[in-house]
Amino acid sequence: MTRVLNVAVVGLGIGKSHIAEGYAKHSDKFRVLALCDLDTKRLAAVGDEFDVPRRTASFDDVLGMSDIDVVDICTPPTLHAPQTLAAIAAEKHVICEKPLAGSLADVDRLIAAQKRAAGRIMPVFQYRFGNGLQKAKRIVELGLAGKPYLATIETAWKRTADYYAVPWRGKWETELGGVVLTQAIHSHDIMTYLMGPIASVFARTATRVNPIEVEDCAVASLEMKSGALVSLAATLGSQREISRLRFCFEHVTFESALEPYQPGDDPWEIIPASPEAEARIDAALEDWRFVPSRYEGLFPAWHAALAAKAELPVTLEDARRSLELVTALMHSAETGQVVDLPIGADHPKYRSWRPASQSAAGRR
Ligand SMILES: NC(=O)c1ccc[n+]([C@@H]2O[C@H](COP(=O)([O-])OP(=O)(O)OC[C@H]3O[C@@H](n4cnc5c(N)ncnc54)[C@H](O)[C@@H]3O)[C@@H](O)[C@H]2O)c1
């Protein structure tokens, strides 16, 4: 019999979507028993809408609830690492929104804490889920795509003054980054999900769309460990919002649809290089079962992995890889240099990817 996990959701902005798109659609696997937010209006509104019995403004209250199995962290970015560490110390499972932490040093702290912990931490990358991208992933994993040649990844979204009216957004101190960290992180995760590890990065960033501190436009040129090349382009000033992902491999090209916030969903075009490649791909997808998008797809995969003690659908190493790319992009944009990966504890940006002028050390 499936064990129903009791969940506490902390932070009710995107946290509300976790409930609506994820937990509420899988009530045989999850029960949202508690909500936590400093904003009492949000607490009451979301609590009433989803009929959640416990509501509190205190994170410590949540940690003290012995029947809570999962703490779902959807607070602003600087709280993610400390709240995750506290929840793991309280022997809870944790799911944490992006960015998992504010530096590679903090991610490594979480990886070390996880090794000693009873509970397990899953970072959120819900955009991996969707029927189109998951088919492409299977084809790549089975080795049917062949040599990766090139990918082009566009994240062209729109943000205006309303979005930046929320005080933590737009500032280095509290958002920790701009379009590279907050928005394009999803498309960039999908890129490495299909293309594998990165060897080196060159980037330029600019703030051109909104009067904010952090970047809202970025371009980058990457070389992958495989030798493949990748171009990234991200802006928050696109009048039509799209996410466009194209992957050219030896035996197949994959092309996403343009839907900005569900880029994993069909229709993805799967364009084989030959009738033979097409036959191999068709055979590999013969028993395909539809994969729902975003949290609706991620959450049951996460529940199954927890139950089986198997690898989680998004791992701490995945979060580290994505924040390593953020660190490299930021460092390259700041220095004008090509940045080689991996980035370890001896790198100048290991403890913070923020520009020197914006970090605590730089302001002293
Ligand atoms: N995966 C995605 O697609 C996605 C989408 C949106 C946001 N996010 C991420 O989720 C996080 C939250 O973003 P948001 O847009 O929902 O922000 P938000 O400001 O709308 O919501 C955050 C909530 O956290 C509450 N909060 C702040 N401090 C708290 C504390 N100590 N204890 C309890 N509650 C507290 C606030 O009152 C607020 O209601 C960010 O890291 C953001 O990048 C992810």
Side-chain angles (χ1 to χ4, degrees):
M1 205 183 77
T2 309
R3 178 161 171 241
V4 177
L5 296 173
N6 289 332
V7 180
V9 180
V10 185
L12 299 173
I14 193 67
K16 183 178 161 183
S17 304
H18 285 207
I19 303 171
E21 285 181 41
Y23 301 124
K25 294 203 170 146
H26 298 288
S27 55
D28 58 329
K29 298 182 176 64
F30 301 98
R31 181 187 310 122
V32 180
L33 210 54
L35 299 178
C36 175
D37 200 299
L38 303 179
D39 179 336
T40 49
K41 278 202 191 125
R42 264 189 168 173
L43 204 50
V46 180
D48 290 351
E49 183 175 346
F50 295 97
D51 205 13
V52 182
R54 296 181 207 160
R55 303 151 195 201
T56 175
S58 160
F59 184 64
D60 287 342
D61 274 1
V62 170
L63 299 186
M65 294 176 190
S66 58
D67 53 352
I68 290 290
D69 303 300
V70 174
V71 177
D72 182 341
I73 298 173
C74 297
T75 48
T78 53
L79 294 172
H80 293 175
Q83 288 186 331
T84 298
L85 282 169
I88 271 288
E91 305 197 340
K92 308 297 188 191
H93 294 302
V94 176
I95 171 172
C96 181
E97 263 299 347
K98 42 61 53 169
L100 177 67
S103 68
L104 287 175
D106 276 348
V107 180
D108 287 345
R109 238 167 253 137
L110 292 171
I111 291 172
Q114 168 76 99
K115 288 191 180 129
R116 303 183 299 266
R120 303 180 69 197
I121 305 167
M122 186 177 76
V124 167
F125 277 130
Q126 85 276 20
Y127 283 53
R128 289 181 174 190
F129 282 78
N131 202 51
L133 169 56
Q134 286 296 320
K135 280 186 281 186
K137 178 67 173 168
R138 178 184 282 188
I139 293 163
V140 171
E141 270 185 346
L142 289 173
L144 301 180
K147 182 174 163 185
Y149 291 158
L150 180 136
T152 47
I153 308 294
E154 259 180 279
T155 313
W157 295 1
K158 183 172 177 176
R159 294 290 182 274
T160 57
D162 290 0
Y163 179 81
Y164 291 105
V166 175
W168 64 264
R169 295 188 182 135
K171 304 182 182 89
W172 285 107
E173 192 74 35
T174 45
E175 190 175 349
L176 306 174
V179 66
V180 163
L181 180 71
T182 304
Q183 285 84 18
I185 196 166
H186 291 290
S187 312
H188 298 172
D189 169 66
I190 293 172
M191 188 281 290
T192 53
Y193 190 53
L194 293 188
M195 296 288 277
I198 300 165
S200 74
V201 170
F202 177 78
R204 292 181 200 279
T205 60
T207 306
R208 300 184 60 72
V209 183
N210 281 288
I212 53 176
E213 287 177 9
V214 295
E215 84 290 345
D216 54 23
C217 296
V219 290
S221 159
L222 275 53
E223 186 174 7
M224 307 302 284
K225 283 246 165 68
S226 64
L229 302 179
V230 173
S231 89
L232 307 176
T235 181
L236 298 179
S238 176
Q239 300 314 321
R240 184 157 73 100
E241 293 192 289
I242 62 160
S243 298
R244 174 164 32 210
L245 317 172
R246 286 195 101 248
F247 298 90
C248 302
F249 286 82
E250 182 182 6
H251 300 306
V252 60
T253 291
F254 302 110
E255 186 170 325
S256 73
L258 299 181
E259 171 54 47
Y261 299 108
Q262 310 200 157
D265 281 10
D266 267 330
W268 270 50
E269 279 201 72
I270 299 175
I271 308 158
S274 63
E276 294 75 26
E278 184 168 17
R280 286 193 294 270
I281 289 170
D282 287 349
L285 297 178
E286 217 169 49
D287 64 345
W288 187 255
R289 292 181 57 187
F290 179 79
V291 178
S293 64
R294 293 169 49 103
Y295 303 113
E296 189 179 355
L298 172 62
F299 283 15
W302 168 45
H303 187 282
L306 284 175
K309 299 194 183 345
E311 182 172 288
L312 299 177
V314 187
T315 65
L316 287 173
E317 287 67 31
D318 293 336
R320 194 188 193 287
R321 188 174 60 178
S322 97
L323 295 177
E324 187 181 40
L325 174 58
V326 167
T327 306
L329 292 167
M330 296 294 189
H331 191 50
S332 175
E334 185 182 352
T335 60
Q337 305 289 315
V338 172
V339 176
D340 293 325
L341 273 60
I343 294 180
D346 56 347
H347 192 275
K349 292 291 183 199
Y350 178 72
R351 280 175 187 76
S352 169
W353 54 68
R354 289 193 254 161
S357 59
Q358 301 290 341
S359 66
R363 283 198 307 274
R364 258 190 231 118

